[in-house]
Amino acid sequence: MINLKRAKLLKGRGNMIKEFNHEEVQCIKTTVSVPMFRINVYLYFIDGLLIDTGPRRLKNSLIPVFKSLPVSQIILTHHHEDHIGMGSWIQSHINKPIYIHKAGIADCEQPSSIPLYRRILWGNSKPFNPEPIPQTIETKNYQFEVIHTPGHAHDHVVLFNRENGWLFSGDLFVIPHPKSSFSFESVPVLMDSIRKILTYDFSTLFCSHAGVIINGKEHLTEKLRYLENLHWKVKRLHLEGMHAKSIQKQLFPKLHSIHLLSGFENSPAHMINSIIDDI
Ligand SMILES: [Zn+2]
């Protein structure tokens, strides 16, 4: 007898993945949905190189994709669970090197200790053993410069292909005008990373959450302008003697469900405090 519920679930899971090409890059768009929240996660595949592995929650949908790709090496842009979630499966089933910035190796080797809301959203990553990423990644036809870009995560890297003006930007961009950040993020460090990247000659951003952005440099410049303006406002109010909580009330008065759901691991307070710490 056909189990209709199971069949529906599998169909639903299958629908969470869409594949398309941009130039020679294979783009794998996955969507994670929980009540009241839906977020896209993109993986990219080019010339044997898989960039990020997606969240473990989408394991059943991602395994057939990985089995269909001629993967020869894997790069992780950083150690967060929506990027490394399938790392352990890939390590044991696709015997190819997995690279991450050396600062992120320990995060992948240890059992995950993320808060409950992130475990529910992304699934729980299992430990695995990636290798330190070299400064340059070569595939048969392409070369990628690896650039360390902390701020969102201490081990965050982006990949730059000069010939095509491609920037695989991980979570460096995501949105142009963030109104909240995680406790582990730093606005000033992120600004320095964006400034560094804007010195490179790229045009297309391959973002892990926003997808393919054609005028990538303009979008990233817009994000830097927004953060610089925020930095200036927070600094001015702080120097006038205003406390961090009052600055938050003035600049970001709205409370969003993500602040509550995350137990304030995600909050505008982290943006403001990271700027005040920098003054
Ligand atoms: Zn991240």
Side-chain angles (χ1 to χ4, degrees):
M1 194 176 123
I2 299 169
N3 182 336
L4 281 177
K5 263 193 181 168
R6 173 89 179 140
K8 247 186 180 175
L9 184 66
L10 287 175
K11 190 166 179 277
R13 281 182 175 175
N15 286 339
M16 289 177 187
I17 294 200
K18 281 182 188 161
E19 292 179 57
F20 61 94
N21 280 17
H22 181 81
E23 296 171 0
E24 290 82 33
V25 181
Q26 194 169 333
C27 309
I28 303 151
K29 178 188 179 186
T30 74
T31 305
V32 171
S33 311
V34 291
M36 289 162 53
F37 195 69
R38 163 184 269 259
I39 184 163
N40 294 329
V41 180
Y42 287 78
L43 322 184
Y44 298 103
F45 182 75
I46 170 82
D47 206 18
L49 173 67
L50 176 66
I51 300 165
D52 285 330
T53 73
R56 196 170 169 81
R57 193 167 187 271
L58 298 182
K59 186 181 168 201
N60 291 348
S61 305
L62 282 169
I63 287 173
V65 177
F66 295 147
K67 282 182 174 170
S68 73
L69 295 174
V71 177
S72 55
Q73 51 186 331
I74 301 101
I75 300 289
L76 304 168
T77 56
H78 60 297
H79 72 279
H80 290 159
E81 60 277 10
D82 46 331
H83 300 258
I84 67 158
M86 291 300 289
S88 67
W89 185 91
I90 287 180
Q91 188 149 67
S92 45
H93 294 84
I94 300 173
N95 192 19
K96 301 292 177 190
I98 306 179
Y99 299 111
I100 194 166
H101 187 274
K102 61 179 190 278
I105 291 177
D107 296 286
C108 298
E109 288 177 339
Q110 289 155 14
S112 170
S113 58
I114 56 174
L116 180 66
Y117 81 99
R118 282 165 58 187
R119 246 182 291 155
I120 291 169
L121 182 63
W122 301 120
N124 218 8
S125 310
K126 290 187 176 174
F128 63 103
N129 306 99
E131 300 170 39
I133 197 166
Q135 282 191 326
T136 308
I137 291 285
E138 307 259 359
T139 66
K140 200 175 162 203
N141 300 296
Y142 302 93
Q143 196 181 58
F144 298 90
E145 239 174 279
V146 178
I147 308 153
H148 188 211
T149 46
H152 169 70
H154 57 90
D155 60 338
H156 194 283
V157 297
V158 300
L159 299 186
F160 170 56
N161 174 261
R162 193 176 297 273
E163 267 184 326
N164 294 288
W166 294 334
L167 190 82
F168 294 88
S169 57
D171 284 356
L172 185 72
F173 173 70
V174 185
I175 53 171
H177 306 140
K179 292 179 175 58
S180 186
S181 78
F182 289 99
S183 55
F184 46 78
E185 291 183 287
S186 162
V187 170
V189 177
L190 182 63
M191 284 163 62
D192 283 344
S193 288
I194 297 176
R195 282 192 196 106
K196 177 162 70 172
I197 288 308
L198 287 173
T199 65
Y200 288 78
D201 193 14
F202 67 92
S203 50
T204 309
L205 271 192
F206 292 86
C207 173
S208 294
H209 296 289
V212 181
I213 301 172
I214 305 295
N215 301 318
K217 201 158 193 174
E218 283 85 342
H219 283 76
L220 205 53
T221 304
E222 170 59 28
K223 179 164 186 171
L224 180 61
R225 275 203 208 106
Y226 167 82
L227 293 176
E228 283 176 339
N229 188 256
L230 175 67
H231 193 285
W232 180 81
K233 280 185 193 163
V234 171
K235 187 176 176 180
R236 186 173 53 86
L237 294 171
H238 176 70
L239 294 178
E240 281 171 9
M242 205 183 257
H243 291 292
K245 277 204 169 154
S246 311
I247 297 174
Q248 183 181 340
K249 261 190 188 163
Q250 182 160 326
L251 299 181
F252 302 105
K254 278 190 181 168
L255 183 70
H256 292 278
S257 52
I258 183 68
H259 306 154
L260 294 167
L261 285 170
S262 71
F264 297 96
E265 186 191 41
N266 188 294
S267 162
H270 306 306
M271 300 182 90
I272 290 158
N273 288 329
S274 71
I275 293 170
I276 290 174
D277 288 348
D278 186 52
I279 296 166

